[in-house]
Amino acid sequence: MRSSRLFKLQAGPAFRYLVPIFIIYAFTVLLPLLISMYYSVHSEGNAKFVGLQNYVALVKDNDFWFSLKNNIIIAVICVAGQVGIAFLIASFFMTKLLKLEGLHRIAIFLPVVLAPIVTGYLWSLIYNYRMGVLNWVLKLFNMDPVLWLDNPSYVLYSVSVPLVWQYIGLYFIIFLAGMQNISKEVLEASEIDGATWYRKTVYVILPLLKNVMSVALILCITGTLKVFDHIYVMTGGGPGRSSMVMAQYAYNNAFTMSRLSYGSTISIGMLILCAIILLVMSRWIGGGEEK
């Protein structure tokens, strides 16, 4: 009886703090999700209930699967670029070779605080055919300028570079925090045994950062599967549908073509696919621990 009363006294303030958070979460996440599910099973204009008819159309929609393929390519590039490069930079910070660490840390993290719209606009200027910095550099070496954002062969890689550039700093900070928590005795013991930077990074630091690496991979893949702002600003999904991603495709259907029901269906389809990919990743990453 006494313990029950004590629990109520301790739990009461906690529930009061959680209620505002739950209300905000319900209005910003749960309610839009429920509305999207409602629209996805109704015809355009909310005229009548159509069941899974929109989902059957989505499965047969080649443009949706093409957008998913673009998302996967961008995710692979971002995993290699954001996570891979960030890990290498963080491991370099653990050496005693680097000077002015604080200045470098700020410079690497600074792009993270920029709005995606600003980053997209900035890189649109860099990629500009006539006035862009990249084509200016190519001209210095007597090379022809390139249509970075208007050539279907290059555009998917071109829109991936700003994503890599902006979020390297985020994963760099995550990896650096993880590396600084590794026992100094372990690192010093590897150095006494004659381990080079490469061997220490691959055989000592990387295995000890397995959980941190798992979190970074999940954040990177989920982030790139719902990417929208950068590509919307730089190409709008073009030329044609060359750089179309799932979020852009849902936006075009819902707001450009006024197909709100089908746009909601695409959004729910994205959610299901992301959940499946995350589930597969969790099983793959956690498989070693279960054994």
Side-chain angles (χ1 to χ4, degrees), residues 94 179 182-192 200 204-205 208:
M94 295 300 290
M179 290 178 187
I182 296 175
S183 171
K184 290 183 179 178
E185 287 77 11
V186 174
L187 299 177
E188 289 173 358
S190 65
E191 291 173 0
I192 291 171
K200 189 171 71 174
V204 179
I205 294 177
L208 292 174

Side-chain angles (χ1 to χ4, degrees), residues 123-140 143-150:
W123 279 86
S124 295
L125 295 176
I126 293 173
Y127 284 136
N128 188 278
Y129 182 76
R130 296 183 182 279
M131 300 176 292
V133 174
L134 285 179
N135 282 340
W136 176 76
V137 173
L138 291 179
K139 286 177 184 176
L140 292 179
M143 298 173 68
D144 295 329
V146 176
L147 291 166
W148 298 102
L149 296 177
D150 296 318

Side-chain angles (χ1 to χ4, degrees), residues 14 20 31 65 70 105 118-119 155 176 192-193 205 210 231 250 262-263 281 284 291:
L31 185 60
W65 295 112
N70 284 346
R105 195 180 296 124
V118 175
T119 303
V155 67
L176 190 62
I192 291 171
D193 289 341
I205 294 177
K210 182 183 177 182
I231 295 174
Y262 195 61
M281 273 197 63
W284 177 60
K291 293 175 183 177

Side-chain angles (χ1 to χ4, degrees), residues 101-224:
E101 290 185 12
L103 181 64
H104 288 94
R105 195 180 296 124
I106 292 172
I108 294 169
F109 188 75
L110 192 60
V112 179
V113 301
L114 294 178
I117 297 292
V118 175
T119 303
Y121 182 70
L122 176 67
W123 279 86
S124 295
L125 295 176
I126 293 173
Y127 284 136
N128 188 278
Y129 182 76
R130 296 183 182 279
M131 300 176 292
V133 174
L134 285 179
N135 282 340
W136 176 76
V137 173
L138 291 179
K139 286 177 184 176
L140 292 179
F141 294 96
N142 294 322
M143 298 173 68
D144 295 329
V146 176
L147 291 166
W148 298 102
L149 296 177
D150 296 318
N151 189 328
S153 302
Y154 302 142
V155 67
L156 205 56
Y157 306 103
S158 299
V159 297
S160 300
V161 171
L163 291 169
V164 173
W165 174 79
Q166 181 165 18
Y167 294 113
I168 279 180
L170 174 65
Y171 300 105
F172 160 71
I173 292 296
I174 292 174
F175 285 130
L176 190 62
M179 290 178 187
Q180 288 176 341
N181 280 328
I182 296 175
S183 171
K184 290 183 179 178
E185 287 77 11
V186 174
L187 299 177
E188 289 173 358
S190 65
E191 291 173 0
I192 291 171
D193 289 341
T196 60
W197 171 80
Y198 172 77
R199 286 184 174 274
K200 189 171 71 174
T201 302
V202 174
Y203 297 111
V204 179
I205 294 177
L206 187 57
L208 292 174
L209 284 184
K210 182 183 177 182
N211 292 332
V212 178
M213 181 65 76
S214 303
V215 172
L217 286 173
I218 289 173
L219 286 175
C220 181
I221 291 174
T222 52
T224 48

